[in-house]
Amino acid sequence: MASPDPEPRPGWDEYYLALADMTARRSPCLSRQVGCVIVSGGRIIATGYNGPPSGIPHCGECARKRAPGAGWEVCRAIHAEQNAILSCARSGTAVRDATLYCTCFPCSVCARMILNLDVRRIVFRAPYPDQLSRILLAERGFALRGGDGFFAYGREGGE
């Protein structure tokens, strides 16, 4: 008797985004939980989630909700992408030509960091309303491609 067909294996982008989803669950953020995974040469080199800097207590309430109209500058959290990048910096791990997987589109601050690191691809699941980020990425040659439940920005010569 033949066994039932196994579920199809996920593609790499889907697999690493699922890991970013799991990483986001570690976030103590009261507003939005974001996770990030950086992959180079088929290996995970860093993960990160949004939250306050090490040694700083978690928020008791969301500062952005306390100050309507205020932006990220009143938030005590470090973004998921920044935490993953800092993890690479602490360990001396190069990020050049890596792929960054994130549960949402990077803000313009994170996009500038990502561009200076020469990341080759950015794969994300959810949009984020930051037009400057899209402009900066386009100026650097990143083009948006849709996937099955995700989007990817890649540079010329990217994967």
Side-chain angles (χ1 to χ4, degrees), residues 14-51:
E14 184 181 348
Y15 172 73
Y16 290 125
L17 272 176
L19 293 176
D21 289 334
M22 180 60 77
T23 303
R25 292 176 53 193
R26 292 277 311 143
S27 170
C29 184
L30 301 171
S31 176
R32 177 186 306 217
Q33 293 181 309
V34 180
C36 178
V37 175
I38 301 177
V39 176
S40 181
R43 303 275 185 246
I44 296 170
I45 60 173
T47 62
Y49 52 86
N50 58 322

Coordinates of all heavy atoms in Angstrom, one line a residue, residues 14-51:
E14 N 10.3 30.9 1.0 CA 9.2 30.6 1.9 C 9.7 30.0 3.3 O 9.2 30.4 4.3 CB 8.3 29.6 1.3 CG 7.0 29.2 2.1 CD 6.2 28.2 1.4 OE1 6.4 27.9 0.2 OE2 5.3 27.6 2.0
Y15 N 10.7 29.2 3.2 CA 11.3 28.6 4.4 C 11.9 29.7 5.3 O 11.6 29.7 6.5 CB 12.4 27.6 4.0 CG 13.2 27.0 5.1 CD1 12.7 26.1 6.0 CD2 14.5 27.4 5.2 CE1 13.5 25.6 7.0 CE2 15.3 26.9 6.2 CZ 14.8 26.0 7.1 OH 15.6 25.5 8.1
Y16 N 12.8 30.5 4.7 CA 13.4 31.6 5.5 C 12.4 32.6 6.1 O 12.6 33.1 7.2 CB 14.6 32.2 4.8 CG 15.7 31.3 4.6 CD1 16.2 31.1 3.3 CD2 16.4 30.7 5.6 CE1 17.3 30.2 3.1 CE2 17.4 29.8 5.4 CZ 17.9 29.6 4.1 OH 19.0 28.8 3.9
L17 N 11.4 32.9 5.3 CA 10.3 33.8 5.8 C 9.6 33.2 7.0 O 9.2 33.9 7.9 CB 9.4 34.2 4.7 CG 9.7 35.4 3.8 CD1 8.7 35.6 2.7 CD2 9.8 36.7 4.7
A18 N 9.4 31.9 6.9 CA 8.7 31.2 8.0 C 9.6 31.3 9.3 O 9.1 31.5 10.4 CB 8.4 29.8 7.7
L19 N 10.9 31.3 9.1 CA 11.8 31.4 10.3 C 11.7 32.9 10.8 O 11.8 33.1 12.0 CB 13.2 31.0 9.9 CG 13.4 29.6 9.6 CD1 14.9 29.3 9.1 CD2 13.1 28.7 10.8
A20 N 11.6 33.8 9.9 CA 11.4 35.2 10.3 C 10.1 35.4 11.0 O 10.1 36.1 12.1 CB 11.5 36.2 9.1
D21 N 9.1 34.7 10.6 CA 7.8 34.8 11.3 C 8.0 34.3 12.8 O 7.5 34.8 13.7 CB 6.7 33.9 10.6 CG 6.2 34.6 9.3 OD1 6.3 35.8 9.2 OD2 5.8 33.8 8.5
M22 N 8.7 33.1 12.9 CA 8.9 32.6 14.2 C 9.8 33.5 15.1 O 9.5 33.7 16.3 CB 9.6 31.2 14.1 CG 9.9 30.5 15.4 SD 8.4 30.2 16.4 CE 7.8 28.8 15.5
T23 N 10.8 34.1 14.5 CA 11.6 35.0 15.2 C 10.8 36.2 15.7 O 11.1 36.7 16.8 CB 12.8 35.5 14.3 OG1 13.5 34.4 13.8 CG2 13.7 36.5 15.0
A24 N 9.9 36.7 14.9 CA 9.0 37.9 15.3 C 8.3 37.6 16.6 O 8.0 38.5 17.3 CB 8.1 38.2 14.1
R25 N 8.0 36.3 16.8 CA 7.2 36.0 18.0 C 8.0 36.2 19.3 O 7.4 36.3 20.4 CB 6.8 34.5 17.9 CG 5.7 34.3 16.8 CD 5.4 32.8 16.6 NE 4.9 32.2 17.9 CZ 4.8 30.9 18.1 NH1 5.1 30.1 17.1 NH2 4.4 30.4 19.2
R26 N 9.3 36.4 19.2 CA 10.1 36.8 20.3 C 10.0 38.2 20.7 O 10.4 38.6 21.8 CB 11.6 36.5 20.1 CG 11.9 35.0 19.9 CD 12.2 34.3 21.3 NE 13.1 35.1 22.1 CZ 13.0 35.2 23.4 NH1 12.0 34.6 24.1 NH2 13.9 35.9 24.1
S27 N 9.5 39.1 19.8 CA 9.4 40.5 20.0 C 8.5 40.9 21.1 O 7.3 40.4 21.2 CB 9.0 41.2 18.7 OG 8.7 42.6 19.0
P28 N 8.9 41.7 22.1 CA 8.0 42.2 23.1 C 7.2 43.4 22.7 O 6.4 44.0 23.5 CB 8.9 42.5 24.3 CG 10.2 43.0 23.6 CD 10.3 42.2 22.3
C29 N 7.3 43.9 21.5 CA 6.7 45.1 21.0 C 5.2 45.0 21.1 O 4.5 44.0 20.8 CB 7.1 45.4 19.6 SG 6.4 47.0 19.0
L30 N 4.6 46.1 21.7 CA 3.1 46.1 21.9 C 2.4 46.5 20.6 O 1.2 46.4 20.5 CB 2.8 47.1 23.0 CG 3.4 46.7 24.4 CD1 3.2 47.9 25.4 CD2 2.9 45.4 24.9
S31 N 3.1 47.1 19.7 CA 2.5 47.6 18.5 C 2.6 46.7 17.3 O 1.6 46.4 16.6 CB 3.2 49.0 18.1 OG 2.6 49.5 16.9
R32 N 3.8 46.2 17.0 CA 4.0 45.4 15.8 C 5.2 44.4 16.1 O 6.3 44.9 16.4 CB 4.3 46.2 14.6 CG 4.6 45.5 13.3 CD 5.0 46.5 12.2 NE 4.0 47.5 12.1 CZ 3.7 48.0 10.9 NH1 4.3 47.6 9.8 NH2 2.8 48.9 10.8
Q33 N 5.0 43.2 15.9 CA 6.1 42.2 16.1 C 6.7 41.9 14.7 O 6.0 41.5 13.8 CB 5.6 40.9 16.7 CG 5.2 41.1 18.1 CD 4.7 39.8 18.7 OE1 3.9 39.1 18.1 NE2 5.2 39.5 19.9
V34 N 8.0 42.2 14.6 CA 8.8 42.0 13.3 C 10.0 41.1 13.6 O 10.7 41.2 14.6 CB 9.2 43.4 12.8 CG1 10.0 43.2 11.5 CG2 8.1 44.3 12.6
G35 N 10.2 40.2 12.6 CA 11.3 39.3 12.7 C 12.2 39.4 11.4 O 11.7 39.8 10.4
C36 N 13.5 39.1 11.6 CA 14.4 39.2 10.4 C 15.4 38.1 10.5 O 15.8 37.7 11.6 CB 15.1 40.6 10.5 SG 16.4 40.8 9.2
V37 N 15.7 37.5 9.3 CA 16.7 36.5 9.2 C 17.6 36.9 8.0 O 17.2 37.3 7.0 CB 16.1 35.1 8.9 CG1 17.1 34.0 8.6 CG2 15.1 34.7 10.0
I38 N 18.9 36.9 8.3 CA 19.9 37.2 7.2 C 20.6 35.9 6.8 O 21.1 35.1 7.7 CB 21.0 38.2 7.7 CG1 20.3 39.5 8.1 CG2 22.0 38.5 6.6 CD1 21.2 40.5 8.7
V39 N 20.6 35.6 5.5 CA 21.1 34.4 5.0 C 22.3 34.7 4.0 O 22.1 35.5 3.1 CB 20.0 33.6 4.3 CG1 20.6 32.3 3.6 CG2 18.9 33.2 5.3
S40 N 23.4 34.0 4.1 CA 24.5 34.1 3.1 C 25.0 32.7 2.8 O 25.3 31.9 3.7 CB 25.6 35.0 3.8 OG 26.6 35.2 2.9
G41 N 25.1 32.5 1.5 CA 25.6 31.2 1.1 C 24.8 30.0 1.5 O 25.3 29.0 1.8
G42 N 23.5 30.2 1.6 CA 22.6 29.2 2.1 C 22.6 28.9 3.6 O 22.1 27.9 4.0
R43 N 23.3 29.8 4.3 CA 23.4 29.6 5.8 C 22.8 30.8 6.5 O 23.0 31.9 6.1 CB 24.9 29.4 6.2 CG 25.6 28.3 5.5 CD 25.4 27.0 6.3 NE 26.2 26.0 5.8 CZ 25.7 24.9 5.2 NH1 24.4 24.8 5.0 NH2 26.4 23.9 4.7
I44 N 22.1 30.6 7.6 CA 21.6 31.6 8.4 C 22.8 32.2 9.2 O 23.5 31.5 9.9 CB 20.5 31.1 9.4 CG1 19.3 30.6 8.6 CG2 20.1 32.3 10.4 CD1 18.3 29.9 9.5
I45 N 23.0 33.5 9.0 CA 24.1 34.2 9.7 C 23.7 35.1 10.9 O 24.5 35.4 11.7 CB 25.1 34.9 8.8 CG1 24.3 36.1 8.0 CG2 25.7 34.0 7.8 CD1 25.2 37.0 7.2
A46 N 22.4 35.4 10.9 CA 21.9 36.2 12.0 C 20.3 36.2 12.0 O 19.7 36.0 10.9 CB 22.4 37.7 11.9
T47 N 19.8 36.4 13.1 CA 18.3 36.7 13.3 C 18.2 37.9 14.2 O 19.1 38.3 14.9 CB 17.6 35.5 13.9 OG1 18.1 35.3 15.3 CG2 17.8 34.2 13.1
G48 N 17.0 38.5 14.1 CA 16.8 39.7 15.0 C 15.3 39.9 15.0 O 14.5 39.6 14.1
Y49 N 14.8 40.6 16.1 CA 13.5 41.0 16.2 C 13.4 42.4 16.9 O 14.4 42.8 17.5 CB 12.6 40.0 17.1 CG 13.2 39.6 18.4 CD1 13.0 40.4 19.5 CD2 14.0 38.5 18.5 CE1 13.5 40.0 20.7 CE2 14.5 38.1 19.8 CZ 14.3 38.9 20.9 OH 14.8 38.5 22.1
N50 N 12.3 43.1 16.7 CA 12.3 44.4 17.3 C 12.0 44.4 18.8 O 11.3 43.5 19.3 CB 11.2 45.3 16.6 CG 9.8 44.7 16.6 OD1 9.6 43.5 16.5 ND2 8.8 45.5 16.7
G51 N 12.7 45.3 19.5 CA 12.6 45.3 20.9 C 13.6 46.3 21.5 O 14.4 46.8 20.7

